[in-house]
Amino acid sequence: MHSLSILALVAAVVAACFLHLYKQYRQLNDPRMRVPGPTLLPYIGRVHDLPIKYMWLKFYEWGQKYSGVNGFYMTQMLDKSFLVITDESVAEELMVKRARHNSDRPEIRSIFDSKSTEGSMEYLPLMGKNKYWARQRRLTHAYLTEASNSNYHGIMYHEAKRWMAKLLENPQNFQSSLEDMCSRVMCQMTWDDPSLSEYCTRSAWGLLTQMSPAGPITNVVTPLWDLPIFLNPWKRAERKRHDEQQEWWMDQLVRVREKMMKGTQRPCFARQYFEKGPKRSNLSGDYEASCVVGMIALVGIFTVAGPLSYWLVSMVHHPVWQGLVQKEIDEVCQGRMPTLEDAPRLPTLRACIKETMRWRPNVPTGVAHEMEADDIYRGYFLAKGTRILPLDWAFLRNPAKYPDPCNFRPERWLEPGWPTYQEPLTQYPTIKGMTSFGWGQRQCLGQTVTQDELIVACGALSWCFNLKPKVDVATGRELPVPTDKSNSLLIIKPDAFQMDFEPRSAARKEHALRLWEESDKQDTREREEFVQLATPMSEKAGDVSIEMV
């Protein structure tokens, strides 16, 4: 009798649990109560069958099935609701026209205080919609605007020439030298020190990995982050990464200050901060400033490195378009390496850059916003805290706007009759305003820098090289350059591949090497002359001090 009672109790508990789960299941999937979307399971939503690798393809597949005429659908990952947008017009309505209440960021679980709710002030792109975000965004915009109006073009030309020489000397190392070029540009703009590029590149990819769903498992199975520190290898690893990065950022700011005291610090963003001071910069102090400048450097690496890597892929696979770009550069530049002054007369180059970014978008999943208030949209109730995911892969594969969306068709930007054609061709096509740069109040501030650097780098490549598949010496066959293999981080780049960089002629090779030699000598001379003319800060009016806040 005793054993029967235990069995009955167990059966009752199981039945009660089953009934509870069944009610939860019915409630979650009641079509009268929810936005259309895939079937959800109680407590886990659809986290069980959302792949970490190429997550955007699964979101796109669900969009094809559930979005319908709405242009959006709802899914859930554990206790978080996601409104996945597959139509640009919906993104415009929710994240631009209703930006006032839809511009927050979701918490990144595997990063300490990612939203700066507790005042960390460290990661501008991840911050919640708070005072730190507002003032850092204004300052970043001011720095980048001033840079685009002054002399950063010379940095880009210098580093592009260096990269061409590196590719001629060691073409097998092209992926590393590509990222190094992007990093050196940003390290000079921020701290005027290209020698910082190696660590800065590692730091950039370290942060990007930490913030991506394909990074630590704690970004997906979020409760694991709350384990005690001695049982939590993910939190210990992030503490180490975070502390090293923040210390390095602060070290660079201190070093700039020391050089300013000696009068040997050339213009850069960090110097601008000290010249204005924390009050005029509207920052709390030097720690916050180190984070602002450091984040500009990091973001500027992977937002250019990804599209530039895919430029190589697109040109290898589309030699006809590569030839058209080369022909245009030859006719316009008359043997010179192209500059940004030539850009208005290089629409084919700009079209191929833009089509590369459409064909293989840099942020295919999009970057989520978080709703700050309850809302009703097209008759559906959307709760505060819902994460809005603008699925860029879907936007850029809309056949109504982009006919033949899966293929590389730069003519869509150059020929009347295509839905995306705009005039004048001296201005269009431009990558500024592309959906990949985000929406509303969260739109990327570095679009001009990104476009300029891509025009300089892609133009230099087309001027100097024929980009070709690599031939296996043993078999005589071309080695494949995959178009569909990449990492799965929030901002992607293609997996490692091999290719050939064939100088367009012996004369062009010598010309490229000579350009780098001349640029290197000029840079060295200018740095030496600046130091020779230096006036120590003690001899100038005012002072520069470090305020550790």
Side-chain angles (χ1 to χ4, degrees):
M1 187 69 178
H2 181 67
S3 60
L4 289 176
S5 298
I6 294 175
L7 287 174
L9 179 61
V10 170
V13 171
V14 171
C17 290
F18 178 80
L19 181 61
H20 172 74
L21 291 173
Y22 179 70
K23 287 181 178 179
Q24 288 285 312
Y25 175 83
R26 290 289 301 272
Q27 183 178 349
L28 281 171
N29 297 287
D30 187 343
R32 299 169 299 177
M33 303 288 290
R34 66 185 291 258
V35 177
T39 301
L40 304 177
L41 298 180
Y43 300 106
I44 66 171
R46 287 304 289 255
V47 74
H48 61 289
D49 66 345
L50 182 66
I52 293 298
K53 196 164 182 62
Y54 309 139
M55 184 181 294
W56 58 89
L57 296 180
K58 188 65 175 182
F59 281 135
Y60 182 66
E61 177 189 322
W62 283 342
Q64 297 289 94
K65 187 174 182 180
Y66 299 109
S67 284
V69 296
N70 287 327
F72 58 88
Y73 67 92
M74 185 77 80
T75 188
Q76 189 170 311
M77 305 297 153
L78 299 181
D79 61 337
K80 305 300 182 185
S81 296
F82 288 80
L83 185 74
V84 183
I85 301 177
T86 58
D87 187 301
E88 279 187 57
S89 64
V90 177
E92 181 76 20
E93 289 182 36
L94 287 178
M95 294 188 291
V96 179
K97 296 179 181 178
R98 303 191 188 191
R100 182 179 177 185
H101 299 299
N102 293 329
S103 297
D104 203 4
R105 283 285 193 229
E107 180 185 25
I108 305 297
R109 202 70 183 94
S110 300
I111 290 180
F112 298 115
D113 193 27
S114 65
K115 296 179 67 170
S116 291
T117 306
E118 300 173 13
S120 64
M121 309 180 293
E122 292 168 347
Y123 306 117
L124 174 60
L126 309 181
M127 284 182 186
K129 192 178 172 185
N130 53 40
K131 62 181 181 180
Y132 311 116
W133 167 78
R135 69 196 189 197
Q136 289 192 23
R137 185 173 174 85
R138 283 194 297 271
L139 186 62
T140 299
H141 179 263
Y143 282 171
L144 293 174
T145 300
E146 186 172 341
S148 67
N149 293 333
S150 57
N151 197 33
Y152 76 30
H153 298 163
I155 295 173
M156 293 178 180
Y157 300 148
H158 177 72
E159 292 302 331
K161 292 169 186 175
R162 179 181 183 274
W163 189 35
M164 295 306 102
K166 290 290 182 183
L167 290 173
L168 287 166
E169 295 165 0
N170 186 10
Q172 291 77 23
N173 198 34
F174 70 91
Q175 287 165 314
S176 176
S177 63
L178 180 155
E179 291 182 4
D180 188 56
M181 184 208 69
C182 299
S183 185
R184 287 174 65 91
V185 168
M186 297 313 301
C187 286
Q188 289 185 75
M189 291 175 64
T190 50
W191 304 293
D192 188 43
D193 189 348
S195 70
L196 302 174
S197 63
E198 184 177 350
Y199 181 88
C200 196
T201 301
R202 290 200 309 271
S203 181
W205 292 113
L207 176 59
L208 182 61
T209 300
Q210 194 68 23
M211 62 188 269
S212 299
I217 193 174
T218 46
N219 280 338
V220 178
V221 187
T222 53
L224 291 175
W225 185 253
D226 296 320
L227 289 172
I229 191 71
F230 66 91
L231 293 175
N232 198 326
W234 309 284
K235 189 173 284 187
R236 292 197 302 272
E238 170 55 6
R239 173 55 65 193
K240 181 176 183 294
R241 186 208 66 80
H242 167 275
D243 291 354
E244 286 181 356
Q245 177 182 269
Q246 304 312 121
E247 181 181 6
W248 190 79
W249 282 353
M250 195 65 200
D251 285 346
Q252 305 323 309
L253 197 73
V254 171
R255 183 185 54 78
V256 168
R257 183 251 184 194
E258 292 171 347
K259 291 180 70 176
M260 287 182 70
M261 295 299 293
K262 298 175 184 176
T264 59
Q265 178 60 60
R266 301 199 310 169
C268 62
F269 295 158
R271 174 176 147 169
Q272 284 181 250
Y273 162 72
F274 282 121
E275 288 174 336
K276 292 182 178 180
K279 290 184 179 179
R280 288 176 61 198
S281 298
N282 198 28
L283 299 181
S284 60
D286 297 327
Y287 181 79
E288 185 175 5
S290 74
C291 297
V292 174
V293 175
M295 275 307 302
I296 293 174
L298 264 61
V299 173
I301 296 171
F302 39 64
T303 54
V304 175
L308 188 51
S309 298
Y310 275 114
W311 169 268
L312 301 177
V313 175
S314 65
M315 292 296 99
V316 167
H317 281 277
H318 304 94
V320 172
W321 279 105
Q322 180 178 190
L324 291 173
V325 171
Q326 291 172 327
K327 181 174 183 290
E328 179 180 75
I329 288 173
D330 292 344
E331 291 175 351
V332 169
C333 301
Q334 296 293 303
R336 293 181 294 104
M337 182 182 287
T339 68
L340 290 167
E341 292 180 353
D342 300 312
R345 296 180 293 159
L346 299 173
T348 306
L349 171 64
R350 287 182 280 112
C352 286
I353 291 172
K354 186 166 187 175
E355 181 65 1
T356 295
M357 293 181 67
R358 185 209 65 83
W359 179 59
R360 289 295 177 266
N362 202 26
V363 194
T365 309
V367 182
H369 292 209
E370 186 169 278
M371 296 184 62
E372 303 164 73
D374 295 343
D375 197 5
I376 302 293
Y377 182 66
R378 297 189 182 179
Y380 294 106
F381 173 75
L382 303 176
K384 176 183 177 180
T386 297
R387 299 180 176 190
I388 305 174
L389 191 66
L391 188 61
D392 209 43
W393 187 263
F395 301 157
L396 298 173
R397 270 155 181 70
N398 177 0
K401 184 173 182 178
Y402 305 106
D404 195 16
C406 294
N407 288 316
F408 185 82
R409 301 291 298 273
E411 63 265 41
R412 72 176 76 250
W413 310 105
L414 297 169
E415 298 175 0
W418 290 83
T420 47
Y421 176 76
Q422 290 179 278
E423 293 181 340
L425 288 180
T426 53
Q427 178 180 352
Y428 301 103
T430 172
I431 65 171
K432 290 191 285 187
M434 287 187 74
T435 55
S436 300
F437 288 113
W439 296 87
Q441 297 176 6
R442 292 290 181 165
Q443 202 170 42
C444 175
L445 295 171
Q447 296 181 52
T448 298
V449 175
T450 301
Q451 174 165 269
D452 288 349
E453 193 170 345
L454 286 172
I455 288 173
V456 170
C458 296
L461 285 167
S462 302
W463 171 83
C464 191
F465 296 105
N466 296 315
L467 306 177
K468 303 171 67 174
K470 191 174 184 64
V471 176
D472 188 319
V473 177
T475 64
R477 296 178 180 176
E478 293 181 352
L479 297 175
V481 177
T483 63
D484 58 351
K485 303 296 182 184
S486 72
N487 63 25
S488 295
L489 301 179
L490 186 63
I491 301 175
I492 69 169
K493 63 176 180 177
D495 285 348
F497 60 93
Q498 297 183 64
M499 60 175 287
D500 267 344
F501 292 79
E502 177 187 78
R504 292 183 61 190
S505 68
R508 187 58 52 87
K509 177 180 178 179
E510 291 304 314
H511 190 176
L513 292 172
R514 186 171 64 255
L515 284 176
W516 165 239
E517 182 181 4
E518 293 170 354
S519 187
D520 188 34
K521 287 180 179 178
Q522 179 180 345
D523 181 68
T524 301
R525 183 172 60 254
E526 289 175 355
R527 291 178 182 274
E528 291 174 348
E529 289 174 353
F530 190 89
V531 171
Q532 290 170 2
L533 297 173
T535 303
M537 203 69 175
S538 58
E539 299 178 19
K540 299 179 181 179
D543 193 9
V544 177
S545 61
I546 286 286
E547 299 182 10
M548 297 295 293
V549 179

